[in-house]
RNA sequence: GGGUGCUUAGCUCAGCGGGAGAGCGUCGCCCUUACAAGGCGAGGGUCGGGGGUUCAAAUCCCUCAGCACCCACCA
């Protein structure tokens, strides 16, 4: 093996080999285990969020696969309606200078498919770089024929049951994309706006009312003025008529509770076609709806000619100007309010009256709520359950039609008179509704919301509406791993659809991840220029390339300078190549239960070092075991204390590993294996082994040590494999055979099982003692500034029988690891020279100071230790002298406290007498 | 307007009723033949403030403050 760990060299080859040999497909004999991947946008690129979630899913999948379960990780991509159409439209404009309407629907959709074919493998290629062991042989796309069948089937059935309906409604309209969008796709943000106060004259009087509005341009669509019926200021006006300025329309003044006397002037203009509240008011008072906007939000021919064709911003300016001229503008106030914008387009959303398709959610939501209430689906962390319920209990009907070209065409047809017929295809419609071929039918132009097909993902990918073997075997799936940002968009709707069409939940557990932020806690976004690309963390990238990447294609090119500056500051040397395994381990370690996860480069560096540690530990093991008798044939072996210790610790590690994985505490999982590999196996065990292998010991003992070195390392590799697949495979190819394991790959080796018989508390106690003795001496050495190589004599005093036994067992080890030239036991009353001391329980370790130790340093050290101890001692004494504590606390706690106190007393006495002695020198 | 989460060592975060923890950073000594991407050791926190429950509170309850986020139609 190379001297230094180099991820690049080892990560390239393995994935291809695994995939070619079909190791990702389900083969296990045990019970099925299935995770559906949240399908990424087919034309997308891998970002940190994907990297994070896929890493966690892969850990779970690889673990189950090694347990021998029939493990399916279903992969696929999403057509992502708006997002994809947007990109292709932009490219079209950039490359050819044309808009989609210039080439027409058919040609445009063809272009989108071309774009998909050409860019669609970017993200799947990147998933492979990440090591994701998904079953590529079952890859699906939401617009595959089979999945499209599922969409049609669901739509048709829901329609036939009356759960899908079509109607003219006020919907959220995105004037940039000219489509309706759902409530969820609208993001409201507080913005600084104006509140214009406008005077309307009251007909046949000298009276007038003043209304306050943030949208003066919509006054052209006013069909009433509302005041509160209880408002004494205006009661007399109810039933009278007001004149809308600029268009001279006469509208009734109505009384409605919606008008809040406290707000503005207490009078409000009512524009039913362009405001959700006003729409309600209009319904109550039977007001006409006047639509003044085109789909692009330009003023249409329902307004005076002067305003026709203006876009809404321009119209607003003009109307304010004209109101001013006509002296109808009374006041302009600064005002803060929430403005709804399209999450994709960023433009202000217009409430717009159109024909749309809706899913009626009330009835569908009920079983989806019950399933979670009854624990058939569990959210992890649990807190998300509440979020889910809150949304589900207030669920609104889902607007599913989109006026886009890219997506699933709605399976509805219209005749000449606009009667609607729904069926799986035109032929079925004709049969179902007994329409002869002569009857003219045209299909609905609209497509379905992307999330409609996503909602079917857990069963459409398995072949539904056909009854397939996979569907029977893997549905309901076990787990969904996803971010909290799409609980409503996706998770809730999958539950609804799964229960509706398969009568079973789509998954039993939902592990909700946090969202990856940058090191400062900011959301990673292109415009902020703080995006990290997982691939760059794997392969590394130099500073200039990183800057080029981050400043390319910015929405606001003027931000480029700031982005460059920040990048130079944050990554003065670019990003080094950390490798996939280090990245995956980092994701695992960062996956705590919080909502935001700050990605810090320091972490990934640390875990790259961890890979290096494992690498080098392996080199040491190989150095000592290759071409040697390692106790696999000749099983005559005699385990040392160290051997039994590390095997015992290994069992604890396996237990904790399984527990943390079961709890989805990936952070604790990472910590557990890190601690065991680095601090137990490398720091202690490998060091304890050295004197054995180098010293004079029997073949049985040495053979046992080599044997243990190998079996523990090989087990470590299998434990680590789900987290770090590449390095473990690379090493296992060498270590596996050494451990007499057969098989092509570590990924199909059985996962380590705990053996409780190998846990030995007496061993642990002895090793703890041994560690304390060694650390005690090392501490003296470090604090006294004694060179690490310098051999020292050690005296031991106040030893118990146990101490003496353990010393006999471990004398050589202590001498070697603590660099001692001799160890001498002295009696309590023997006259000993001035010495630096350390305590292990009651046992006193003494390093004679003659010519070695600095008196003042030792005095200071003792003084400090005594002071610290005195405080603890005092606190403990107070506690124990409190009868309430002694009476009420559990016996074990009290006993423990007493033991602690005695221990401290002993220590304190010894340290004090030491101090006196040193001071008297 | 409702709801949720967070506040613990310089930084990032675990711990969530009985002796304050980890990683990274910092400081000191060391290139000791697995590893300087390392070894050995050390320092560092009235656990956001204030109340309460309890023999015992970082941990449970109340309250205040600050910071996030989600949902909601007030012009």
């Amino acid at each position: 093996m190379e001297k230094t760990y180099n991820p690049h060299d080892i990560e390239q080859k393995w994935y291809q080999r695994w995939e070619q040999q079909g190791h990702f497909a389900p083969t296990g004999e045990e019970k099925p285990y299935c995770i559906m991947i949240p399908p990424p946008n087919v034309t997308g690129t891998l970002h940190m969020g994907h990297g994070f979630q896929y890493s966690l899913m892969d850990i779970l999948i690889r673990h189950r696969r090694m347990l021998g379960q029939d493990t399916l990780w279903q992969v696929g991509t999403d057509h992502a309606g708006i997002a994809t159409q947007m990109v292709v439209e932009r490219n079209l404009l950039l490359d050819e200078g044309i808009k989609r309407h210039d080439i027409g629907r058919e040609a445009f959709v063809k272009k989108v498919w071309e774009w998909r074919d050409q860019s669609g493998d970017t993200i799947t290629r990147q998933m492979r770089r990440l090591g994701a062991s998904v079953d590529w042989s079952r890859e699906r796309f939401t617009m595959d024929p089979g999945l499209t069948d599922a969409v049609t089937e669901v739509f048709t059935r829901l329609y036939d049951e009356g759960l899908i309906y079509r109607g003219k409604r006020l919907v959220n309209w995105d004037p940039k994309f000219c489509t309706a969008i759902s409530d969820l796709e609208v993001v409201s943000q507080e913005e600084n706006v104006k509140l214009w106060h406008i005077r309307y004259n009251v007909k046949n009087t000298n009276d007038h009312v003043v209304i306050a509005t943030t949208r003066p341009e919509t006054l052209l669509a006013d069909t009433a003025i509302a005041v509160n019926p209880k408002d004494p200021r205006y009661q007399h006006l109810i039933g009278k008529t007001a004149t809308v300025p600029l268009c001279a329309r006469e509208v009734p003044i109505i009384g409605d509770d919606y008008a809040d006397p406290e707000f503005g002037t207490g009078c409000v203009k009512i524009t039913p076609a362009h405001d959700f509240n006003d729409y309600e008011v209009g319904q109550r008072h039977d007001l006409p709806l006047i639509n003044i906007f085109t789909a692009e939000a330009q003023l249409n021919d329902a307004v005076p000619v002067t305003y026709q064709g203006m876009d809404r911003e321009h119209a607003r300016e003009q109307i304010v100007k004209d109101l001013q001229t006509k002296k109808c503008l009374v006041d302009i106030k600064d005002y803060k309010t929430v403005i709804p914008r399209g999450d994709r387009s960023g433009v202000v959303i217009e409430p717009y009256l159109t024909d749309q398709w809706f899913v009626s959610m009330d009835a569908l939501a009920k079983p989806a709520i019950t399933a979670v209430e009854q624990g058939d689906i569990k959210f992890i962390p649990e807190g998300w359950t509440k979020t889910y319920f809150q949304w589900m209990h207030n669920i609104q009907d889902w607007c599913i039609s989109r006026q886009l070209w890219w997506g699933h065409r709605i399976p509805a047809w219209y005749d000449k008179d606009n009667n609607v017929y729904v069926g799986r295809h035109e032929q079925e419609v004709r049969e179902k509704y007994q329409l002869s071929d002569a009857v003219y039918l045209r299909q609905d132009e609209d497509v379905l919301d992307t999330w409609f097909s996503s909602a079917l993902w857990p069963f459409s990918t398995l072949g539904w509406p056909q009854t397939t073997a996979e569907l029977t075997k893997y549905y309901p799936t076990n787990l969904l791993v996803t971010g909290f940002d799409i609980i409503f968009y996706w998770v809730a709707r999958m539950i609804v659809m799964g229960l509706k069409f398969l009568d079973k939940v789509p998954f039993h557990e939902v592990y909700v991840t946090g969202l990856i932020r940058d090191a400062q806690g900011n959301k990673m976004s292109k415009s902020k220029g703080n995006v990290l690309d997982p691939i760059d963390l794997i392969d590394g990238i130099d500073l200039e390339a990183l800057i080029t990447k981050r400043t390319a294609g910015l929405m606001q090119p003027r931000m480029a300078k700031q982005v460059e500056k920040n990048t130079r500051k944050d990554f003065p040397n670019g990003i080094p190549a950390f490798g996939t395994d280090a990245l995956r381990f980092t994701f695992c370690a960062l996956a705590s239960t919080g909502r935001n996860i700050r990605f810090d480069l320091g972490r990934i560096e640390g875990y790259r070092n961890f890979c290096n540690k494992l690498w080098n530990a392996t080199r040491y093991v190989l150095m000592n075991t290759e071409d040697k008798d390692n106790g696999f044939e000749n099983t005559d072996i005699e385990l040392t204390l160290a051997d039994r210790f590390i095997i015992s610790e290994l069992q604890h590690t396996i237990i904790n590993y399984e527990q943390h994985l079961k709890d989805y505490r990936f952070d604790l999982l990472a910590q557990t294996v890190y601690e065991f590999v680095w601090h137990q196996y490398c720091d202690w065990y490998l060091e304890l082994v050295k004197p054995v292998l180098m010293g004079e010991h029997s073949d049985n003992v040495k053979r046992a040590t080599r044997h243990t070195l190998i079996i523990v390392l090989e087990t470590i590799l299998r434990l680590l494999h789900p987290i770090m697949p590449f390095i473990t495979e690379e090493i296992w190819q060498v270590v596996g055979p050494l451990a007499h394991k057969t098989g092509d790959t570590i990924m199909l080796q059985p996962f380590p099982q705990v053996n409780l018989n190998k846990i030995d508390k007496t061993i642990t106690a002895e090793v703890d003692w041994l560690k304390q003795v060694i650390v005690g001496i090392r501490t003296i050495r470090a604090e006294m500034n004694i060179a690490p190589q310098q051999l020292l004599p050690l005296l031991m005093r106040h030893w118990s029988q146990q101490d003496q036994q353990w010393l006999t067992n471990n004398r050589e080890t202590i001498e070697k690891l603590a660099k001692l030239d001799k160890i001498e036991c002295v009696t309590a009353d023997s006259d000993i020279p001035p010495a630096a001391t350390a305590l292990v329980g009651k046992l006193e370790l003494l390093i004679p100071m003659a010519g070695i130790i600095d008196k003042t340093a030792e005095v200071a050290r003792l003084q400090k230790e005594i002071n610290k101890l005195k405080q603890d001692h005092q606190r403990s004494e107070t506690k124990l002298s409190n009868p309430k504590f002694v009476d009420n606390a559990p016996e074990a706690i009290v006993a423990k406290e007493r033991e602690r106190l005695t221990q401290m007393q002993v220590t304190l006495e010894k340290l004090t007498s030491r101090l006196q002695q040193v001071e008297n020198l």
Side-chain angles (χ1 to χ4, degrees):
Chain A
M1 271 170 57
E2 292 294 317
K3 185 167 179 194
T4 314
Y5 162 67
N6 184 346
H8 192 76
D9 294 346
I10 63 174
E11 287 176 5
Q12 299 299 321
K13 58 187 172 191
W14 286 116
Y15 195 91
Q16 212 186 358
R17 214 172 290 181
W18 292 329
E19 188 177 347
Q20 276 168 357
Q21 294 179 359
H23 292 330
F24 300 153
T27 53
E29 303 285 315
E30 304 290 321
K31 65 180 177 186
Y33 184 83
C34 179
I35 296 179
M36 292 281 161
I37 205 164
N41 180 349
V42 65
T43 61
T45 51
L46 192 81
H47 61 238
M48 293 296 277
H50 294 124
F52 179 45
Q53 291 177 5
Y54 298 165
S55 295
L56 300 188
M57 279 180 254
D58 199 38
I59 290 168
L60 295 163
I61 287 289
R62 284 180 185 269
H63 173 242
R64 296 291 177 149
R65 194 183 285 123
M66 288 174 79
L67 285 173
Q69 290 193 234
D70 181 0
T71 308
L72 171 64
W73 188 6
Q74 175 64 50
V75 69
T77 49
D78 191 277
H79 67 281
I82 291 192
T84 306
Q85 173 161 331
M86 201 168 92
V87 173
V88 177
E89 266 187 287
R90 197 170 59 205
N91 290 349
L92 202 60
L93 196 63
L94 242 50
D95 301 344
E96 303 175 43
I98 51 174
K99 295 186 170 181
R100 69 179 156 117
H101 287 281
D102 298 335
I103 58 171
R105 181 169 193 151
E106 204 177 323
F108 180 77
V109 169
K110 206 175 144 209
K111 289 244 178 229
V112 184
W113 278 105
E114 280 166 17
W115 165 251
R116 181 205 93 120
D117 291 341
Q118 147 207 341
S119 71
D121 59 347
T122 305
I123 195 155
T124 53
R125 212 172 44 238
Q126 290 174 321
M127 286 169 68
R128 287 175 164 93
R129 288 302 313 280
L130 209 61
S133 62
V134 295
D135 183 3
W136 293 109
S137 70
R138 295 189 48 83
E139 186 179 359
R140 296 288 185 269
F141 176 53
T142 46
M143 280 173 65
D144 283 346
L147 279 74
T148 302
D149 285 349
V151 167
T152 313
E153 183 71 21
V154 165
F155 188 97
T156 311
R157 284 211 217 163
L158 288 177
Y159 178 81
D160 289 343
E161 284 188 47
L163 290 169
I164 280 183
Y165 62 90
R166 184 169 183 268
K168 207 180 212 40
R169 296 291 145 90
L170 210 49
V171 294
N172 299 298
W173 184 263
D174 187 319
K176 181 169 173 190
F177 295 126
C178 290
T179 179
I181 56 177
S182 73
D183 300 344
L184 286 174
E185 290 159 281
V186 180
V187 287
S188 292
Q189 264 186 337
E190 201 164 73
E191 295 181 20
N192 290 316
V193 294
K194 303 279 183 212
L195 198 53
W196 283 276
H197 290 63
I198 303 167
R199 183 168 71 201
Y200 289 48
N201 289 323
V202 180
K203 198 183 163 193
N204 297 331
T205 67
N206 291 328
D207 222 346
H208 65 263
V209 291
V210 175
I211 60 91
T213 181
T214 55
R215 301 209 56 194
E217 69 279 10
T218 63
L219 109 183
L220 299 172
D222 285 355
T223 54
I225 296 290
V227 297
N228 194 296
K230 292 185 204 82
D231 191 338
R233 293 173 295 175
Y234 302 116
Q235 273 167 348
H236 66 285
L237 293 177
I238 295 174
K240 294 207 158 63
T241 302
T243 310
V244 180
L246 305 181
C247 66
R249 184 181 307 116
E250 297 189 338
V251 298
I253 297 173
I254 58 174
D256 194 288
D257 284 340
Y258 168 63
D260 177 0
E262 304 295 312
F263 189 91
T265 59
C267 301
V268 59
K269 69 198 249 332
I270 301 298
T271 320
H274 295 294
D275 183 284
F276 288 103
N277 291 311
D278 294 7
Y279 183 81
E280 300 288 320
V281 177
Q283 297 281 316
R284 285 200 286 273
H285 297 268
D286 206 19
L287 298 172
L289 294 143
I290 300 174
N291 172 29
I292 58 163
F293 287 128
T294 66
E296 289 86 10
Q298 293 174 337
L299 299 197
N300 65 17
D301 54 10
V303 302
V305 188
T306 42
Y307 303 117
Q308 288 180 16
M310 283 185 185
D311 65 48
R312 49 189 173 165
E313 287 85 7
H314 185 200
R316 175 178 300 178
E317 286 171 31
Q318 192 59 48
I319 281 169
V320 168
K321 242 184 248 169
D322 293 347
L323 287 170
Q324 222 151 10
T325 315
K326 298 219 164 179
K327 307 254 189 282
C328 293
L329 191 64
V330 180
D331 199 4
I332 306 174
K333 284 207 168 86
D334 286 327
Y335 186 59
K336 237 186 205 163
T337 192
V338 284
I339 301 295
R341 289 178 182 275
D343 63 348
R344 293 280 173 188
S345 66
V347 302
V348 175
I349 292 305
E350 204 64 60
Y352 196 54
L353 196 62
T354 46
D355 282 311
Q356 301 291 346
W357 291 91
F358 296 87
V359 178
S360 173
M361 294 302 288
D362 271 344
L364 288 169
K366 284 205 173 74
I369 291 168
T370 312
V372 175
E373 278 171 349
Q374 293 181 342
D376 206 9
I377 297 177
K378 276 211 312 248
F379 282 87
I380 301 142
E382 213 184 339
W384 294 108
T385 314
K386 201 162 178 180
T387 308
Y388 171 81
F389 282 142
Q390 219 185 332
W391 192 69
M392 290 298 271
H393 281 131
N394 298 298
I395 200 151
Q396 304 293 311
D397 283 357
W398 175 16
C399 175
I400 50 171
S401 45
R402 298 288 180 275
Q403 288 65 50
L404 302 172
W405 288 350
W406 177 241
H408 299 101
R409 241 353 230 284
I410 289 179
W413 282 262
Y414 303 91
D415 63 18
K416 287 201 305 288
D417 303 320
N418 264 343
N419 293 311
V420 64
Y421 308 100
V422 170
R424 287 163 187 79
H425 43 77
E426 189 178 328
Q427 196 51 45
E428 184 186 277
V429 165
R430 288 187 189 277
E431 284 163 20
K432 191 164 145 192
Y433 295 96
Q434 293 169 337
L435 305 168
S436 77
D437 286 356
V439 175
Y440 164 85
L441 284 180
R442 63 175 172 84
Q443 189 175 359
D444 196 310
E445 295 291 318
D446 292 351
V447 300
L448 289 164
D449 181 3
T450 282
W451 296 103
F452 191 86
S453 54
S454 309
L456 319 181
W457 187 252
F459 48 91
S460 65
T461 50
L462 296 174
W464 190 91
Q466 317 294 325
T467 320
T468 62
E470 286 82 5
L471 192 64
T472 313
K473 200 193 294 180
Y474 298 114
Y475 192 96
T477 68
N478 300 73
L479 172 73
L480 181 77
V481 178
T482 193
F484 63 79
D485 51 333
I486 54 175
I487 289 179
F488 306 144
Y489 276 107
W490 193 45
V491 181
R493 288 164 178 170
M494 278 192 286
I495 298 174
V496 164
M497 292 301 190
L499 285 165
K500 176 69 189 168
F501 290 95
L502 286 107
D503 211 24
K504 283 183 207 157
V505 294
F507 31 74
H508 291 297
E509 290 182 306
V510 183
Y511 173 70
V512 181
T513 67
L515 262 31
I516 302 278
R517 307 293 178 124
D518 74 2
Q520 281 73 45
N522 298 308
K523 206 167 172 173
M524 289 191 189
S525 76
K526 182 86 193 152
S527 59
K528 280 188 203 134
N530 62 347
V531 172
L532 280 176
D533 182 340
I535 303 298
D536 292 342
L537 293 169
I538 293 170
D539 293 337
I541 185 168
D542 65 57
L543 178 61
E544 298 310 317
L546 183 60
I547 289 170
T548 309
K549 197 167 162 178
R550 284 183 160 190
T551 51
L554 281 175
M555 290 285 212
Q556 298 167 297
R558 62 195 168 80
M559 294 295 291
K561 249 189 153 165
Q562 190 60 41
V563 168
E564 177 173 350
K565 202 179 135 199
N566 292 345
T567 305
R568 281 189 193 282
K569 191 174 134 251
D570 293 343
F571 307 99
N573 303 311
I575 299 172
F578 293 113
T580 299
D581 288 322
L583 178 64
R584 290 174 54 123
F585 201 95
T586 309
F587 282 137
C588 184
L590 288 175
S592 56
T593 54
R595 318 200 142 183
N596 295 322
I597 290 153
R598 297 192 190 204
F599 194 89
D600 181 3
L601 272 195
R603 290 297 283 269
I604 191 172
E605 192 183 340
Y607 296 126
R608 189 268 322 264
N609 296 353
F610 178 65
C611 293
N612 188 236
K613 192 77 184 174
L614 179 65
W615 186 264
N616 282 301
T618 303
R619 287 179 53 233
Y620 176 79
V621 174
L622 293 179
M623 210 175 81
N624 285 287
T625 56
E626 271 182 318
D627 305 318
K628 292 211 169 69
D629 167 14
N630 297 318
F632 289 94
E633 278 102 14
N634 179 353
T635 52
D636 219 358
I637 58 175
E638 194 181 320
L639 293 174
T640 65
L641 174 72
D643 296 332
R644 280 177 289 167
F645 152 73
I646 199 67
I647 290 168
S648 176
E649 287 299 303
L650 177 61
Q651 308 312 314
H652 288 296
T653 305
I654 296 171
I655 291 170
N656 292 335
Y657 189 114
E658 292 289 359
Q659 187 59 47
H660 294 322
L661 209 50
K662 205 172 138 226
D663 298 339
Y664 301 108
R665 284 303 302 267
F666 296 94
D667 54 336
L668 302 180
L669 171 70
Q671 202 180 311
T672 299
V673 291
Y674 183 96
E675 151 72 21
F676 177 72
V677 172
W678 198 311
H679 298 308
Q680 300 304 334
Y681 187 73
C682 293
D683 286 352
W684 282 107
Y685 181 63
L686 292 190
E687 294 308 316
L688 290 170
V689 150
K690 285 175 185 175
V692 176
L693 293 179
M694 293 194 293
E696 302 284 318
H697 293 273
S698 74
D699 285 347
N700 284 1
V701 167
K702 289 194 173 187
R703 197 180 294 118
T705 296
R706 288 196 297 268
H707 188 83
T708 310
L709 276 172
I710 293 170
I711 59 159
V712 176
L713 176 60
E714 197 273 336
T715 310
I716 285 173
L717 294 174
R718 282 181 289 131
L719 280 174
L720 282 176
H721 177 73
I723 314 177
M724 306 200 295
F726 295 107
I727 188 177
T728 49
E729 179 73 283
E730 179 78 14
I731 295 176
W732 190 84
Q733 292 296 323
V734 188
V735 173
L738 217 49
H740 287 234
K741 300 271 174 170
T742 52
D744 288 343
T745 170
I746 189 175
M747 65 174 284
L748 297 178
Q749 290 297 308
F751 196 76
Q753 297 294 303
V754 68
N755 182 346
L756 294 173
N757 296 326
K758 304 232 159 136
I759 295 179
D760 189 335
K761 280 190 185 137
T762 61
I763 296 290
T764 314
E766 187 170 343
V767 173
D768 276 348
W769 176 88
L770 179 62
K771 285 178 176 178
Q772 281 182 56
V773 170
I774 293 167
V775 169
I777 295 160
R778 282 174 178 169
T779 305
I780 293 175
R781 217 181 249 285
E783 292 190 339
M784 295 298 115
N785 254 327
I786 305 167
Q789 313 86 305
Q790 189 180 342
L791 292 177
L792 299 170
L794 171 70
L795 304 177
M796 284 189 177
R797 209 158 65 146
H798 298 298
W799 27 268
S800 66
Q801 225 173 348
Q802 180 69 274
D803 291 327
Q804 203 164 34
Q805 179 61 50
W806 284 345
L807 174 62
T808 312
N809 294 349
N810 299 289
R811 179 180 285 266
E812 187 198 4
T813 308
I814 296 169
E815 283 176 355
K816 286 279 191 312
L817 297 202
K819 293 276 185 330
L820 303 170
D821 53 9
K822 63 171 182 199
I823 300 174
E824 204 181 324
C825 290
V826 295
T827 51
D829 53 355
S830 61
D831 193 20
I832 54 157
T837 57
L839 290 165
V840 176
K842 290 173 185 169
L843 174 69
E844 207 173 3
L845 309 176
L846 304 115
I847 304 284
M849 293 168 69
I852 307 171
I853 286 170
D854 177 19
K855 178 183 158 184
T856 46
E858 176 65 358
V859 168
R861 193 179 75 85
L862 287 169
Q863 197 70 263
K864 203 176 70 183
E865 210 167 321
I866 288 168
N867 288 342
K868 209 155 73 181
L869 203 57
K870 269 186 177 162
Q871 285 184 355
D872 274 356
H873 183 265
Q874 182 60 46
R875 221 178 307 153
S876 181
E877 220 170 28
T878 316
K879 202 170 180 180
L880 280 166
S881 59
N882 180 356
K884 285 181 184 167
F885 170 70
V886 182
D887 293 346
N888 291 311
E891 245 174 76
I893 298 290
V894 179
K896 207 168 145 194
E897 194 61 36
R898 285 214 175 92
E899 168 60 30
R900 219 166 75 83
L901 185 68
T902 8
Q903 180 61 55
M904 284 193 288
Q905 254 154 1
V906 171
T907 310
L908 210 46
E909 278 161 28
K910 292 213 169 118
L911 288 176
T912 312
S913 80
R914 240 25 266 162
L915 180 61
Q916 269 170 8
Q917 196 178 6
V918 175
E919 272 174 336
N920 290 338
L921 279 178

